[in-house]
Amino acid sequence: MEVKPAGASPGTGGGGDHDLHDDLQERLRATEERLADAERALFETEAKYGALLDQLPCAIYVDEPDAEGTTLYVSPQIEDLLGVTPEQYIHSAEVWEEMVHPEDRERLNADYEAFLRTGHPEAGDYRFLRPDGTTVWIHDRSRLIRGTDGRALFVQGAMFDVTSQKEAELKVQHLAYHDALTDLPNRAMFEEAMELALARAKRRDLSVAVLFLDLDDFKSVNDSLGHTVGDEVLKVVAERLRHATRATDLVVRQSGDEFIVLMADLDRGADGTSARAAVDVVQDRIARGLGEPLVLAGHELSTEASIGSAIYPEDGEDERGLMHHADAEMYAGKRERGGRLAG
């Protein structure tokens, strides 16, 4: 019969407790090392991506996929972008709504509602009003993150400041449709506006009128006083035309010393009498406005112009016919008046 030492566990031998303790200690050390490695890895990841995030030229955000756009996270760049701290942005639900430019608010809300339903549009350009009163253009690009079941989990996005690019783009667009010297609409805008005005007139039985103006003897001003003075005269004429016409009229600098006024959506009246009366009123106001003396470079000048008009449909059925009629009437009047722009 075998005799075992007192206190020994069956099958472990006399050193069983010691071995078990060592094993537990080894496992604990291994666990601690794994935790330390995980902490180091987490720290390195946060440091790596945190530093990268800090260098991004945009504000990163994570939102709940709800109509309120509840923000879960926004990066520190939001302060440079919109002038509010991350804490203000996250904890005040009204910040976003209040900062969106009133003219862009409806479009942004419609875009966001469509985005939550469909995931599109994924990007848009909107104006925001910073607390200091300045306006900033934001390019907002976002993505709807869904789970395996297709349910929307959250929204990830980035906001970029595109103010300088947008202002340059708008300036190019403006120059495409405006005269650089007087800032009046140019012939390109006139042609588009005329096309739309004629289409409305045909549908609603309205009249459209064009007035064609040519400054009298403007060439003598450039020849005697120089183009700088001539440019100033054109600017004054543009301003006087703005004041003499109705708010709904389009005043256009066609080229040189030629100007056009487009009067759209005129009530025709019997045989076009109402439209003719409206044209006569504006034409008289223009004549009186341009007849006011002007002093430039020590010379008193008059800015009188010869004016011809044409009314749809009596004088023409399209832009070409109307402009031909107004042009012919203007030159006939110039010959009769012997008009001069003298100083």
Side-chain angles (χ1 to χ4, degrees):
M1 179 175 184
E2 182 182 359
V3 180
K4 296 181 180 180
S9 298
T12 61
D17 286 344
H18 180 73
D19 292 342
L20 179 61
H21 179 268
D22 290 345
D23 182 58
L24 290 174
Q25 287 293 103
E26 184 63 29
R27 291 184 182 184
L28 179 60
R29 281 194 296 271
T31 300
E32 290 176 343
E33 289 178 3
R34 285 197 297 271
L35 286 174
D37 289 343
E39 288 178 354
R40 282 195 298 272
L42 178 60
F43 174 80
E44 291 173 1
T45 299
E46 289 179 344
K48 182 196 308 180
Y49 291 106
L52 178 62
L53 186 65
D54 289 341
Q55 296 178 57
L56 291 176
C58 61
I60 305 297
Y61 63 86
V62 179
D63 288 353
E64 291 277 11
D66 53 33
E68 291 74 27
T70 306
T71 301
L72 303 174
Y73 168 80
V74 67
S75 65
Q77 288 92 330
I78 196 68
E79 189 163 3
D80 291 333
L81 201 65
L82 296 182
V84 295
T85 65
E87 292 75 22
Q88 289 173 315
Y89 189 88
I90 291 174
H91 297 301
S92 177
E94 295 79 20
V95 165
W96 176 272
E97 184 74 14
E98 290 175 354
M99 295 184 74
V100 179
H101 194 287
E103 294 179 7
D104 292 351
R105 195 167 294 158
E106 184 177 350
R107 177 170 61 90
L108 186 148
N109 288 335
D111 286 350
Y112 191 65
E113 289 174 6
F115 172 75
L116 291 179
R117 290 195 311 271
T118 67
H120 299 283
E122 294 182 338
D125 295 339
Y126 313 100
R127 286 169 293 178
F128 285 77
L129 300 174
R130 293 164 53 96
D132 62 7
T134 58
T135 299
V136 58
W137 276 96
I138 297 298
H139 178 72
D140 187 6
R141 179 169 292 278
S142 52
R143 182 183 179 191
L144 195 59
I145 306 301
R146 299 184 182 275
T148 55
D149 59 357
R151 183 174 60 88
L153 300 178
F154 50 88
V155 176
Q156 289 181 338
M159 292 185 285
F160 300 82
D161 183 349
V162 293
T163 305
S164 58
Q165 300 95 305
K166 201 69 178 179
E167 288 177 347
E169 177 184 316
L170 293 173
K171 184 175 181 180
V172 170
Q173 292 176 359
H174 182 83
L175 290 174
Y177 286 96
H178 289 79
D179 172 56
L181 177 65
T182 63
D183 203 40
L184 289 177
N186 60 16
R187 183 60 186 255
M189 182 181 288
F190 168 75
E191 290 175 352
E192 291 189 10
M194 171 65 91
E195 181 179 357
L196 294 173
L198 288 173
R200 292 195 303 272
K202 291 172 182 177
R203 288 196 309 269
R204 305 174 188 173
D205 193 28
L206 298 172
S207 287
V208 176
V210 291
L211 280 65
F212 186 66
L213 296 80
D214 183 88
L215 296 183
D216 293 335
D217 201 29
F218 178 70
K219 183 176 182 299
S220 67
V221 174
N222 282 333
D223 292 344
S224 61
L225 302 179
H227 288 278
T228 300
V229 174
D231 287 347
E232 291 303 312
V233 169
L234 293 174
K235 292 179 184 178
V236 171
V237 169
E239 192 59 31
R240 289 182 174 183
L241 288 176
R242 287 191 186 99
H243 285 296
T245 52
R246 308 174 308 166
T248 54
D249 296 335
L250 186 71
V251 180
V252 175
R253 183 187 179 201
Q254 174 165 262
S255 63
D257 60 343
E258 296 178 343
F259 296 84
I260 304 171
V261 177
L262 172 64
M263 301 175 64
D265 304 315
L266 298 174
D267 178 36
R268 290 188 64 192
D271 300 322
T273 53
S274 295
R276 172 50 63 186
V279 171
D280 289 343
V281 169
V282 171
Q283 189 164 330
D284 181 62
R285 290 180 60 183
I286 290 174
R288 284 187 283 111
L290 295 183
E292 292 291 326
L294 169 66
V295 176
L296 284 175
H299 294 76
E300 184 174 306
L301 308 170
S302 71
T303 56
E304 293 180 356
S306 297
I307 307 174
S309 63
I311 300 175
Y312 166 86
E314 286 77 15
D315 301 325
E317 294 285 338
D318 55 20
E319 178 193 335
R320 183 175 180 181
L322 291 169
M323 286 301 297
H324 177 76
H325 186 280
D327 184 63
E329 187 176 290
M330 183 275 295
Y331 275 107
K334 185 181 288 288
R335 285 192 299 269
E336 290 177 7
R337 294 171 59 247
R340 294 180 60 82
L341 178 61

